[in-house]
Amino acid sequence: MSDSTSDIMTKAEPAKGDEVTIALVDDDRNILTTVSIALQAEGFVTRLYSDGETALKALLDNPPDLAVFDIKMPKMDGLELLSKVREHTALPVIFLTSKDDELDEEVGLELGADDYIAKPFSLRLLIARIRAILRRADPSKAIGIESQEIEPVNPSISTGRLYMDPARHHVTWDEKPVSLTVTEFLILEALAARPGVIKSRNQLMDAAYPDDIFVDDRTVDSHIKRMRRKFRVVDPQFGAIDTLYGAGYSFTDG
């Protein structure tokens, strides 16, 4: 991508009034264009940046409501960009990763990313994740951007020591908050909605990735592993998510 094209991309007008602004940071021009068009069709305002170094100053000087970062970028990759952004702000961030970036996904979530989506990805899935994260971060930001085709939010779940509020993607354990990504929340919701019932990996993938995109088994296992670790921060004895080898997982907290 030429410097002139990059300059044009970074000079979008700031959002006004109640418009919800999404910053896209990716060195792939096709992805920037395709995602931007899809988001604008849903009523979002977009700002486009072709590298992390260019994006950093703009994100800090005029923060959007949410940002989507590619991990692999020139000048400054997505992990470094997120690290620098997190020194100043809690801006919601979604990572775009390749299928082989499991270690980068782990690092990104530890740095404070809100979720990640593997390439190639579904635009419907990305838009759904964006809406869910905005709703969790600031419910007022979701007003006016929800499509009439979006299904109603599921009712809250209260079972044992677990409480889940799907409207805000809010989770507590023994009344202590547990911060989950949207994907982790959807997997846990599928388990906790029917305590004691075994859910296969395929069923959990369907719950978290509803657009029939390919996700391998280890992705669900990785999400479960991270969820357990997060719950054990507030309860070192946490053991409510059981593994049934060869069958799947169940939620069994009494």
Side-chain angles (χ1 to χ4, degrees), residues 159-176:
T159 176
R161 291 171 284 174
L162 177 71
Y163 176 77
M164 303 183 71
D165 178 0
R168 294 185 297 140
H169 279 254
H170 179 66
V171 180
T172 62
W173 181 261
D174 283 337
E175 301 184 352
K176 299 173 184 175

Side-chain angles (χ1 to χ4, degrees), residues 104-191:
D104 287 340
E105 293 163 2
E106 191 83 23
V107 173
L109 292 173
E110 289 176 357
L111 286 172
D114 293 83
D115 211 339
Y116 69 88
I117 296 177
K119 298 178 181 179
F121 58 90
S122 156
L123 287 171
R124 285 182 57 203
L125 177 65
L126 176 60
I127 291 168
R129 293 293 191 267
I130 287 172
R131 285 190 171 118
I133 291 171
L134 287 171
R135 189 166 58 236
R136 181 181 64 189
D138 183 355
S140 68
K141 293 296 183 184
I143 296 175
I145 66 171
E146 296 286 356
S147 164
Q148 293 181 353
E149 297 178 359
I150 299 300
E151 295 181 1
V153 175
N154 293 336
S156 62
I157 294 173
S158 182
T159 176
R161 291 171 284 174
L162 177 71
Y163 176 77
M164 303 183 71
D165 178 0
R168 294 185 297 140
H169 279 254
H170 179 66
V171 180
T172 62
W173 181 261
D174 283 337
E175 301 184 352
K176 299 173 184 175
V178 180
S179 179
L180 301 182
T181 69
V182 175
T183 307
E184 292 164 353
F185 186 100
L186 292 171
I187 290 174
L188 181 60
E189 183 181 30
L191 292 170

Side-chain angles (χ1 to χ4, degrees), residues 1 3 12 21 23 38 78-79 81 92 98 101 111 113 125 155 159 165 203 209 220:
M1 185 181 303
D3 290 341
T21 306
L79 294 174
L81 177 59
S98 73
D101 281 340
L111 286 172
L125 177 65
T159 176
D165 178 0
Q203 289 174 313
Y209 301 95
V220 171

Side-chain angles (χ1 to χ4, degrees), residues 82-94:
L82 177 61
S83 178
K84 291 183 179 297
V85 166
R86 280 290 172 265
E87 293 175 4
H88 304 278
T89 176
L91 170 71
V93 171
I94 296 174

